[in-house]
Amino acid sequence: MKKGKEKETRRLPNLSRREFMRNTAAVGALGAGIAATGLAPVRAAKASAIEKTVVPPGELDEYYGFWSGGPSGEVRILGIPSMRELMRIPVFNYDGASGYGLTNESKRVLGPDAPPNGDTHHVHMSYTDGTYDGRYLFVNDKANTRIARIRCDVMKTDKVIGIPNVQAIHGLRLQKVPRTGYVFCNGEFRIPHPNDGSILDEPEKYYTLYTAVDADTMEIKWQVIVDGNLDNTDTDYSGKYAAATCYNAEGAVDLAGMMAAERDWTVIFNIPRIEQAVREGKYITLGDSKVPVVDGRGRTPYTLYVPTPKSPHGVNTSPDGKYFIANGKLSPTCTVISIELVDKWFAGELKDPRDVVVAEPELGLGPLHTTFDGRGNAYTTLFIDSQVVKWNIADAIRAYKGEKVNYIRQKIDVHYQPGHLKASMAETKEADGKWLVSLCKFSKDRYLNVGVLKPENDQLIDISGERMELVHDGPTFPEPHDAIMVHRSKLKTVRKIWDRKDPYFAETVEMAKRDGVVLERDNKVIRDGNRVRVYMTSSAPRYGLNEIRVRRGDEVTITITNIDKIEDLTHGFTLCDHGIAIEIGPQQTSSVTFKAEKAGVYWYYCQWFCHALHLEMRGRLLVEP
Ligand code: CUK
Ligand code: CUA
């Protein structure tokens, strides 16, 4: 009895919670005693790991985390390892604090009649030579079939475009080498062409397309028609290939039909060949769109369909550039595709599309996404098992060849049901294997109960050592899908105040010029029929105009230039009872247009606490009847 107890105690520090529970159950009454003596070393080890996540007051995080916000339509910035939320970037959503979606500058970004919502899943940073270059972030809107670009120097959305001929942009990834020329976007749902009601319940006629967008101009360069649907996508480190998963090879429109086949596929796109086809005019166009569309269905020079079990979800490129790894979702496996062998396939040297597969490790239930530490290990989320599994790629390849080797390094419990996971710098050739975040879909009992809608649980795991250690729980508003962790050295060009020549408000500056107004100095009201253009400055704690007089029925444009130069001295302009609030950062010009429909006195005030006399920073809009 005593001997057994000692043995168990010694083994405990290396046991997972579930193994521990199993063990205590097995030894029955001994459980309590083991827990008391056994847990101490576990806690001690964790305390030292947890300490690494502490960023003391006044100190800065080492990594920027960029998180998608799901149906909130936004992108969030977190600090890693503290997991503090630092900022939110409105992208497809209306934002009441900054007036994004309301200011003329943001309306130019969003375009006319922009829907009020979005569903962001995949946020990725632009690359040069296979690593982050700090220029842009790109993100999808699954809900309204759009993509957006965010300028990293000011962390504001600067372009939003719709993607034609498809419905629901899901997977989004960027060309990594030589630089981000293309943004690749997956059209997820198969739809009829044309989608004008002439074809309805004939799913056999539906199809979807893969889209390449020019990252610099945000013009759509080409599209490829594919078999099946498109789920996630990733690109290689040569600039030659992109891969996308398909979970509905069946082309079904109901659940049972979508799960029927044992294998769906990973489709690999040969980018130079598609570009060549476009150059040679081997394309069609669809409907009103002028975008060249190449047909990549069936066996073509442009596409390779690799049979992949079963309804695969994520696809991830290893940072050494050697493999695409497709995550089996309904199969307990990941499928490892050798990019070198993909070269051979396209050179005509292989017979069977499955010949490019070099490993298919069995990992656990519900593999969704994989990330990397740059030391040859992969980390995969197991949605159904609520675990992250660490496995070795080289060993998985040896096992596939028939060698008896255990490629599983460790499984760690996460809480609960993880979707994406991401390690620091893992989507670059500089994957540094320090931190990993598991974006768990369910948080259940991990936080105080805040009502029926629960936060997500983003868990930080230390992967710097041999063993993964869970070190932090971070609640997030539902629901981030994906995230990236970027070393702060990649973002040295983030500005502290606006440049007066910034293109974000250049059109507003032009308007002022036409009115003969010097924005940084003048406080003027210009009447132009029943259009009134008001120009004023803001400088803590006052606006350039204490009162503005207009007539009922006027269309009023208020343009404010914040002439303060102090970092973080942001002012606002809120007009009472008009639904108007906008942000004016230091050295920024912001404008908003509205109709003065109600006669009377309406106070406007600054909504950022900018000065001891912030409450006094206000004025009156006098609307004559
Ligand atoms: S998807 Cu959400 S967990 Cu949209 Cu990348 Cu996998
Ligand atoms: Cu300006 Cu408060």
Side-chain angles (χ1 to χ4, degrees), residues 160-234:
V160 173
I161 62 164
I163 307 292
N165 303 328
V166 291
Q167 203 166 90
I169 293 297
H170 184 231
L172 175 146
R173 288 294 188 125
L174 310 175
Q175 189 181 6
K176 299 185 179 87
V177 173
R179 66 191 281 279
T180 297
Y182 288 125
V183 181
F184 295 110
C185 320
N186 280 358
E188 182 173 351
F189 301 144
R190 299 162 69 256
I191 53 167
H193 296 270
N195 193 17
D196 58 2
S198 58
I199 306 168
L200 283 177
D201 196 15
E202 297 171 272
E204 65 284 359
K205 291 188 182 160
Y206 302 174
Y207 59 81
T208 191
L209 302 94
Y210 194 67
T211 302
V213 177
D214 185 309
D216 297 309
T217 63
M218 293 294 272
E219 280 164 26
I220 297 150
K221 299 308 275 188
W222 43 260
Q223 296 184 299
V224 181
I225 305 176
V226 294
D227 285 320
N229 71 351
L230 292 167
D231 192 1
N232 277 286
T233 182
D234 203 353

Side-chain angles (χ1 to χ4, degrees), residues 538-543 564 569-572 605-611 613-615 617:
S538 68
S539 173
R542 58 178 62 86
Y543 294 112
D564 279 317
L569 220 173
T570 294
H571 296 292
Y605 68 91
C606 170
Q607 79 267 24
W608 255 275
F609 214 114
C610 55
H611 191 277
L613 293 171
H614 153 78
L615 286 167
M617 187 167 174

